């Protein structure tokens, strides 16, 4: 792949090329606060789907799945818990060398203080299998799902509950830490707190700003405590995964410029500033940008994904430049991708993303890896299974995996970029 005819794109030899997943979205057979919530809300979500998604261009294609209650129940997942070896083999065949996954707290500690030895042994074998295959694990400790006993105590709303998260992390590090180097403490704290405690979309469906702020502050404290714990071993490298939205003015008006700055501050900077000194690297997740006119995000001409999210993969370059300059930390892209059931946009998206990363590398930005979301079509929280983010499609009846054409193309590109 070349940007201009004459310019060859090259990435560092040790660059991590891989994918990201989370336990709840692929494993199957889980019991946590989400599984309970899904059963209570599946019917409602299926009935609301025409009102929520009916205007999307993708609607005729997604309608059948989106209006079925079972779309909203994670259930067997995509059976990754049992098929992980097959999935890692696919990853290898795609020339990748990194894999981000989440350890499910509710499996490890199903009841307060009761550790499940079989679940711990599973993750140990899982990590060692990756190692044997030459795949670097990036381990998330909390990716939106929590044990029910922890939620019954008030979850991250209560400061006094942080200690339970710390006990769980201590257990993970003592049992599995030998095989771990890259750690993501908390996935997208701003998304979790916003969706669960302000927007009321996710369990526990709260809608109060003060609850959201309390959760955010407690997540910051939890992250810092875990960071301190991990100082025990040099090899552990720690970050939160930040959901970053590139906010930029659509014109030169003072209001547009000021609004873009304010949006950038609240969506991105507020959290980044709080944990910058407690991060060994910066894990960033990038899906979309906001073009702001006056005080509104607006651009009717942008392409959108199946989910209706604007697709501006090129803006990743500016986001990388911005965070590299402000925080001076190595950066790993720990999620990036799109819902594309026809696989008609994914190759274009990846091309633009690779160009953006290359521009950043040319400016000496220390970018250490790119993890695509995701390997497999998975369970997309309150949207269920209809959005297709996978490089690999999954037939949920047979659980058969089929590598999409864009993934084959990506695999060939990775091979070239490594040379
Ligand atoms: C989350 C993932 C999710 C992805 C696509 C990210 O914000 O971390 O869990 O699947 O977005 O919706």
């Amino acid at each position: 792949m070349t940007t201009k005819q004459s310019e060859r794109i090259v990435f560092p030899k040790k660059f991590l090329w891989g994918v990201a997943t989370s336990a709840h979205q692929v494993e199957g057979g889980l019991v946590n606060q989400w599984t309970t919530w899904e059963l209570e809300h599946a019917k409602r979500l299926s009935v609301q789907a025409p009102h929520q998604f009916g205007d999307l261009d993708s609607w005729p294609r997604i309608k059948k799945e989106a209006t079925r209650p079972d779309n909203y129940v994670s259930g067997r997942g995509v059976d990754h818990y049992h098929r992980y070896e097959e999935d890692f083999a696919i990853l290898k065949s795609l020339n990748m060398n990194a894999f981000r996954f989440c350890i499910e707290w509710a499996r490890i500690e199903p009841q307060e203080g009761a550790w499940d030895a079989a679940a711990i042994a599973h993750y140990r074998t899982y990590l060692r299998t990756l190692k044997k295959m030459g795949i670097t694990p990036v381990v998330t400790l909390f990716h939106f799902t929590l044990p029910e006993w922890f939620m019954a105590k008030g979850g991250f709303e209560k400061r006094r509950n942080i200690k339970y998260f710390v006990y769980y992390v201590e257990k993970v590090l003592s049992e599995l830490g030998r095989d771990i180097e890259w750690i993501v403490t908390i996935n997208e704290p701003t998304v979790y707190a916003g969706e669960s405690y302000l927007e009321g979309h996710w369990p526990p469906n709260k809608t109060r700003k003060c609850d959201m702020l309390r959760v955010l502050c407690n997540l910051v404290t939890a992250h810092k405590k875990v960071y301190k714990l991990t100082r025990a071993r040099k090899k552990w490298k720690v970050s939160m995964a930040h959901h970053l939205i590139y906010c930029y003015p659509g014109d030169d008006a003072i209001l547009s410029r000021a609004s873009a700055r304010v949006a950038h501050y609240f969506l991105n900077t507020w959290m980044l500033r709080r944990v910058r000194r407690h991060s060994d690297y910066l894990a960033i997740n990038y899906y979309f940008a906001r073009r702001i006119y006056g005080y509104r995000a607006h651009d009717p001409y942008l392409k959108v994904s199946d989910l209706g999210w604007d697709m501006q993969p090129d803006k990743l370059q500016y986001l990388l430049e911005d965070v590299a300059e402000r925080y001076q930390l190595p950066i790993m892209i720990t999620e990036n991708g799109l819902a594309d059931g026809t696989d008609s946009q994914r190759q274009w998206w990846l091309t633009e993303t690779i160009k953006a990363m290359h521009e950043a590398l040319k400016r000496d930005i220390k970018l250490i890896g790119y993890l695509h979301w995701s390997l497999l079509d998975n369970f997309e929280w309150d949207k269920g299974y209809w959005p297709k983010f996978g490089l690999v499609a999954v037939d949920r009846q047979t659980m058969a995996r089929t590598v999409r054409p864009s993934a084959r193309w990506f695999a060939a590109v990775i091979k070239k970029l490594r040379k």
Side-chain angles (χ1 to χ4, degrees):
M1 209 179 104
T2 51
T3 36
K4 287 180 212 131
Q5 279 311 334
S6 53
E7 188 192 6
R8 207 175 145 246
I9 297 188
V10 204
F11 277 66
K13 274 232 154 36
K14 287 192 173 163
F15 196 80
L16 296 175
W17 289 103
V19 291
T21 62
S22 88
H24 189 78
Q25 296 179 266
V26 292
E27 282 190 355
L30 287 159
V31 181
N32 55 39
Q33 101 279 27
W34 263 93
T35 51
T36 311
W37 184 88
E38 289 156 24
L39 295 174
E40 285 165 11
H41 292 262
K43 181 91 204 326
R44 172 182 66 79
L45 292 169
S46 68
V47 172
Q48 284 174 353
H51 311 289
Q52 206 187 341
F53 309 118
D55 288 343
L56 296 176
D57 288 346
S58 57
W59 179 247
R61 238 187 317 113
I62 63 166
K63 184 176 168 185
K64 198 162 157 230
E65 249 183 309
T67 50
R68 285 171 51 157
D70 63 355
N71 170 69
Y72 300 93
V73 179
S74 60
R76 290 176 64 208
V78 286
D79 202 25
H80 174 71
Y81 197 74
H82 300 111
R83 293 169 197 248
Y84 66 88
E85 285 181 286
E86 179 186 348
D87 294 337
F88 297 166
I90 298 175
L91 190 83
K92 270 306 259 192
S93 77
L94 295 178
N95 298 325
M96 294 182 175
N97 60 352
F99 184 72
R100 176 177 170 219
F101 71 97
C102 170
I103 291 179
E104 177 71 17
W105 181 4
R107 273 197 201 277
I108 302 256
E109 193 182 6
Q111 301 301 328
E112 183 189 340
W115 306 102
D116 186 321
I120 295 172
H122 167 87
Y123 285 117
R124 186 172 298 119
T125 315
Y126 188 95
L127 275 160
R128 298 213 169 137
T129 309
L130 283 170
K131 207 168 177 182
K132 257 191 246 147
M133 295 175 86
I135 301 169
T136 301
V138 178
V139 180
T140 310
L141 298 166
F142 164 45
H143 194 130
F144 303 159
T145 51
L146 294 163
E148 286 198 280
W149 61 262
F150 179 73
M151 284 313 279
K153 289 177 187 288
F156 282 112
E157 268 181 87
K158 301 269 188 305
R159 197 176 168 79
R160 63 169 181 267
N161 290 346
I162 295 172
K163 61 177 179 290
Y164 299 107
F165 180 64
V166 176
Y167 299 153
Y168 148 68
V169 176
E170 277 172 341
K171 184 74 177 173
V172 168
L173 293 178
S174 70
E175 295 278 355
L176 308 169
R178 262 189 58 189
D179 296 310
I180 300 175
E181 178 180 356
W182 298 97
I183 297 174
V184 170
T185 52
I186 295 165
N187 183 65
E188 301 184 346
T190 51
V191 173
Y192 172 71
E195 294 291 318
S196 301
Y197 292 92
L198 180 69
E199 303 291 344
H201 295 154
W202 293 359
N205 297 95
K206 298 211 171 168
T207 50
R208 283 174 43 181
K209 231 182 234 148
C210 57
D211 289 335
M212 178 190 75
L213 280 173
R214 199 168 332 113
V215 169
L216 280 174
C217 292
N218 289 339
L219 291 174
V220 168
T221 309
H223 168 83
K224 288 184 178 171
K225 284 188 187 286
V226 170
Y227 178 81
K228 281 188 191 136
L229 267 185
T230 57
R231 297 308 88 189
R233 278 210 203 173
K234 250 207 183 133
K235 74 165 190 170
W236 287 330
K237 299 193 185 63
V238 177
S239 175
M240 271 179 170
H242 300 273
H243 181 270
L244 299 187
I245 301 174
Y246 185 69
C247 304
Y248 63 105
D251 58 24
D252 226 16
I254 294 179
L255 184 59
S256 309
R257 282 187 284 143
S259 305
R261 266 204 304 276
V262 171
H264 180 67
Y265 178 80
F266 283 109
L267 293 169
N268 306 324
T269 313
W270 188 88
M271 181 52 88
L272 282 162
R273 277 212 190 146
R274 262 150 196 85
V275 294
R276 63 190 292 187
R277 288 197 186 81
H278 295 80
S279 304
D280 300 309
Y281 71 106
L282 213 55
I284 69 170
N285 298 352
Y286 173 70
Y287 288 92
F288 42 76
R290 289 279 175 268
R291 181 173 184 153
I292 296 172
Y293 291 94
Y295 51 84
R296 277 197 324 138
H298 181 65
D299 197 336
Y301 303 110
L302 285 173
K303 294 211 263 191
V304 295
S305 71
D306 287 356
L307 270 165
W309 296 359
D310 60 78
M311 299 195 288
Q312 306 186 62
D314 56 320
K315 298 295 180 295
L316 176 64
Q317 179 194 334
Y318 311 120
L319 192 63
L320 289 172
E321 287 172 9
D322 183 73
V323 291
E325 191 185 322
R326 282 175 203 254
Y327 305 107
Q328 310 275 323
L329 286 165
I331 302 170
M332 189 190 301
I333 297 165
T334 40
E335 280 184 38
N336 171 269
L338 71 165
D340 179 17
T342 54
D343 202 36
S344 54
Q345 304 298 323
R346 203 169 273 107
Q347 182 173 326
W348 161 79
W349 173 284
L350 286 164
T351 306
E352 294 303 309
T353 302
I354 292 167
K355 282 188 202 161
M357 293 194 290
H358 185 240
E359 286 304 316
L361 285 169
K362 282 201 306 194
R363 286 163 177 72
D364 285 333
I365 289 172
K366 197 157 184 327
L367 182 62
I368 50 182
Y370 171 80
L371 310 181
H372 190 78
W373 187 273
S374 186
L375 180 65
L376 307 163
D377 287 341
N378 61 23
F379 182 74
E380 282 292 328
W381 309 110
D382 57 343
K383 318 277 184 317
Y385 283 104
W386 72 256
K388 310 293 184 204
F389 275 87
L391 290 168
V392 177
V394 181
D395 174 334
R396 293 198 59 254
Q397 295 305 315
T398 61
M399 295 294 175
R401 275 79 165 131
T402 310
V403 176
R404 292 200 159 102
S406 60
R408 292 194 192 290
W409 171 88
F410 189 31
V413 169
I414 294 174
K415 200 169 171 187
K416 270 197 210 147
L417 295 177
R418 251 203 209 111
K419 277 184 189 157

